[in-house]
Amino acid sequence: MIDIQDLSGTWNLRGTDVDLPAEVPGCVHTDLLAAGRIPDPFFGDNEHAVAWVGRQDWTYQRDLTWDGPAHDRIDLVFDGLDTVARVELGGRVLGETRNMHRSYRFDVTSQLGTAAADRDPADATAGASLPLSVYLTSAYTEAARVEALVGPKPNCYPEPFPFVRKMACSFGWDWGPTLVTAGIWRPVRLEGWSTARLATVRPLATYRDGGGDLDLTVDVERTRDRALRAQVLLDGRELTVVDVPADQTSLRARIPVDGIAAWSPRGYGPPALYELTVVLLDGDQELDRWRRHTGFRTVTIDRGADDAGTRFVIEVNGEPVLAKGVNWIPDDIFPSRMTRARYEKRLREAVAAGVNLVRVWGGGIYEDRAFYELCDELGLLVWQDFLFACACYPEDEPIFSEVVAEARENVTRLSPHPSLITWNGNNENLWLHDAMNWAAEPGGGESWGEKYYLQTLPAIVAELDPTRPYQAGSPWSGSWEHAPNSPDHQTFHSWEVWNREDYGNYRDSAPRFVSEFGWQAPPAWTTLRDAVSDDPMLPDSPGVLHHQKAEDGNGKLARGLEPHFPAPASTEAWHYLTQLNQVRAIRTGVEHWRSHWPHTAGTILWQLNDLWPVTSWAAIDGAGRYKPLYFALRDVHADRALTIQPRDGRLVVAVLNDHPEPWTGSLSVESRDSSGTLLHIGAEEVEVAPRSVTLVPINGGDVLVATLDGRRALWFAADHHLGDPDLTVTASSVPGGLDVHVNAAGLARDILLQADRIHPDAVTDQGFVTLLPGESTTLHVRAPIDLDPRSVKDPWVLTDLASVLRENRPS
């Protein structure tokens, strides 16, 4: 068996005028923070004060001894080095690395000893202790070196991320700080082994009625030429034993598997998983064991032509799936801080918001194994970008061979995960090269990345993972015959809305698949207040603006409010109204596009999460607090929902049934005046087939209310001149928090309870709530301490749209 010696824990970190303990896995920034050597980079403009960290070279050091039994081979294994490293043991260079997204293995047998019995003991120094040093060169230095070799390349941000294979967004983005990391960011260990080990195991599992097929490839690394066997088990049941001749280092087995259930995405059946084990045997002696959970499913994307253009419909096990997706960015600018528990919390939050697909965006990382295992367990589909975003990328050396090695390793590493259903070549590079005329800029006319997306990467996927469809980019129309971001062909990014247009313009088209769209809002009040020292804190005060990274972001927020509301009279009103505008924008887009299913086959919101406190498009802010948008996602992603939509010059109720059973019942439509008084009510029997949409024409009015089986949709002709809702608010103490009871005598639009204004760790279970005259609701506030019921009466804890608009009126 392989013996493992974990090297996680305390190392030593050295830099200019720095010598202190370091934690591995980790990074320089977190070590300096722990030692009190730098201020919190998330607070104020401290991001600038710590910029020097990313421009220095650093060294991690510790003494290394092999404490295990004698083996043929001792390897030093790094699961991740960030990024440009020279590894030395006892003054001897083991190797150099230039890629954050790869793992590395170095043979240290001759230095650490433990020679096998049939080797000359003089070749080793068993039990030797030697200094291990990892010298890390600044990513800026490496990027400058590479740029000097290959020439300049256009990109969207004034940072050199295309010239080094590193998490691009550590160089800053329009929602992220520039904090360029270095470190040993994933686990490191010594491995002792003899005769042979399992170098890679690549299982490709597909489903067919009543069973599945396992296409298994195993690569073996050897120290001895011996005939071996590989035993394959599924949930402990032996499927097969494959001979591995003495001269063979790779085997492939195609194994039919009967009597299993399909892995299915959320809403389409259970995500059935099975424990797959591969045991490498020398006679009866176990040399190595590989174990993962996997699932059997078949994935295709229907990209056929029709009268409207080119489809993009994800199909799992032969069934079309309406994608209710979110874009995922790294959940921490320092990804070494991520834990399985934190991944689980965030992904379960996605599930609770009705999400069934998570897109891992191309400016981040290939996430930790725990991320994909949790998606497997939760039935979340994973769309995985290769790591290219918003830039031209050189196709020359030394980058090209790094890209190939990185892609091959990660396609193999992620192959067991049934949740992973598509590989995507890049984020926006094909589109922006065309739209921004990068070909006319220095370095943009040749060797700009097209070869990766249209040749290199699809060839790697076809060789190593033909069970998953590949797409060249997001957005991508399928070929250069159409504009890359054509709404009529395959995937589409909707950014004219937000950047230049009002959210009502979402209704102007029905793209085939919307893989990015979004609308900004500030984070929760406490998150923003904790991040800045501005006094007073204003929408345009220095700290608030520093935590707004989008170009003219606050200007776009203001212009987005103009068609709908008067200018906010206070920072609190600005915070409330911009949060409300974000919710309304996303509702408008998703409900409109869902009403066009299957013509529009899905949406992927930009974005689920943030990696620091910032005004952004996220639904969950950088402190992990929910914006009101998070709660709205539950509604727009519900399996059964109603929405009132303008269609062909009139209004319709779109009855949205993303459920395996028909939806039948009496659809009620109420017409009310602007005060909410009932004027007319009508009803119509509807029967909506499974996984389909039915449109029911209705007449217009000031206020329309459609209901079916407890689901409700509202339509308002105007926002202004709302009357006093005459709210009665009472709060009662309950175990773990408060129950807040709200009754409305009049029409109460967009009631919002901001629990973090009661206590920083308090949460509520609803976002914006609208009550018709005479209606009530209960908001549940939960916190780790007892809460004072009177706190609900504090300013801005609970408010509503009419109250905010009254604040803007002249006295």
Side-chain angles (χ1 to χ4, degrees), residues 248-514:
Q248 187 172 316
T249 58
S250 184
L251 66 91
R252 184 174 183 181
R254 298 178 184 271
I255 308 166
V257 184
D258 295 324
I260 59 168
W263 183 94
S264 298
R266 294 196 65 78
Y268 291 77
L273 292 172
Y274 299 87
E275 185 179 76
L276 177 65
T277 304
V278 178
V279 184
L280 186 63
L281 297 167
D282 180 5
D284 293 329
Q285 180 186 6
E286 181 175 322
L287 300 177
D288 197 1
R289 177 181 291 254
W290 178 99
R291 182 186 293 114
R292 297 287 189 278
H293 281 90
T294 194
F296 293 79
R297 84 286 177 273
T298 300
V299 181
T300 58
I301 298 177
D302 178 1
R303 289 177 275 199
D306 58 23
D307 291 343
T310 312
R311 294 185 292 273
F312 192 91
V313 183
I314 295 169
E315 298 180 351
V316 181
N317 303 323
E319 186 167 5
V321 175
L322 170 63
K324 305 169 187 175
V326 288
N327 281 273
W328 171 279
I329 65 171
D331 204 52
D332 199 313
I333 192 65
F334 307 128
S336 60
R337 296 197 294 201
M338 289 299 294
T339 62
R340 185 181 186 92
R342 187 162 159 186
Y343 276 122
E344 182 167 8
K345 181 177 188 297
R346 198 68 72 237
L347 290 169
R348 286 192 180 278
E349 287 169 334
V351 167
V355 169
N356 66 7
L357 182 149
V358 178
R359 175 190 173 208
V360 182
W361 167 77
I365 59 175
Y366 305 100
E367 294 289 346
D368 184 78
R369 171 177 159 186
F371 173 91
Y372 302 95
E373 288 180 339
L374 288 161
C375 289
D376 293 342
E377 295 167 15
L378 295 170
L380 284 171
L381 303 174
V382 175
W383 162 323
Q384 177 68 55
D385 282 13
F386 287 103
L387 300 184
F388 303 88
C390 299
C392 290
Y393 283 80
E395 299 163 357
D396 318 277
E397 295 297 352
I399 297 295
F400 182 82
S401 57
E402 287 291 347
V403 167
V404 171
E406 168 193 317
R408 294 185 70 87
E409 176 175 340
N410 283 284
V411 169
T412 297
R413 178 174 77 91
L414 301 183
S415 63
H417 299 288
S419 57
L420 199 162
I421 53 101
T422 183
W423 289 98
N424 175 53
N426 73 88
N427 174 75
E428 299 189 342
N429 296 350
L430 293 163
W431 171 35
L432 295 179
H433 189 269
D434 179 64
M436 301 185 72
N437 195 25
W438 278 344
E441 297 184 32
E446 57 184 15
S447 182
W448 59 270
E450 181 184 28
K451 179 180 177 181
Y452 293 137
Y453 320 133
L454 300 184
Q455 298 178 39
T456 307
L457 295 174
I460 290 171
V461 172
E463 175 195 351
L464 299 180
D465 191 6
T467 66
R468 293 177 173 92
Y470 171 84
Q471 47 188 309
S474 181
W476 181 236
S477 61
S479 76
W480 288 114
E481 294 180 9
H482 310 290
N485 198 32
S486 168
D488 298 326
H489 300 279
Q490 298 196 32
T491 55
F492 179 72
H493 287 196
S494 180
W495 285 119
E496 284 299 300
V497 173
W498 164 252
N499 281 323
R500 281 165 284 276
E501 298 177 1
D502 182 56
Y503 60 75
N505 289 24
Y506 281 138
R507 297 192 181 107
D508 291 346
S509 67
R512 308 314 303 266
F513 191 103
V514 187

Side-chain angles (χ1 to χ4, degrees), residues 152-286:
K153 297 294 174 188
N155 76 62
C156 288
Y157 301 99
E159 292 282 339
F161 62 88
F163 301 103
V164 59
R165 295 307 298 161
K166 174 178 172 57
M167 187 174 87
C169 64
S170 68
F171 289 91
W173 221 258
D174 58 1
W175 35 257
T178 301
L179 294 168
V180 179
T181 53
I184 304 172
W185 77 289
R186 279 181 167 163
V188 55
R189 62 192 174 276
L190 289 171
E191 289 187 1
W193 56 279
S194 298
T195 304
R197 71 177 187 91
L198 296 169
T200 62
V201 177
R202 179 163 43 89
L204 305 178
T206 54
Y207 183 74
R208 51 182 168 77
D209 287 343
D213 294 295
L214 179 64
D215 184 350
L216 180 69
T217 302
V218 177
D219 293 322
V220 176
E221 186 177 13
R222 294 175 173 271
T223 60
R224 307 184 188 195
D225 295 333
R226 294 175 61 86
L228 307 173
R229 295 179 300 132
Q231 182 186 33
V232 183
L233 304 101
L234 194 72
D235 276 1
R237 170 171 60 104
E238 183 176 280
L239 297 181
T240 189
V241 177
V242 182
D243 291 330
V244 188
D247 60 349
Q248 187 172 316
T249 58
S250 184
L251 66 91
R252 184 174 183 181
R254 298 178 184 271
I255 308 166
V257 184
D258 295 324
I260 59 168
W263 183 94
S264 298
R266 294 196 65 78
Y268 291 77
L273 292 172
Y274 299 87
E275 185 179 76
L276 177 65
T277 304
V278 178
V279 184
L280 186 63
L281 297 167
D282 180 5
D284 293 329
Q285 180 186 6
E286 181 175 322

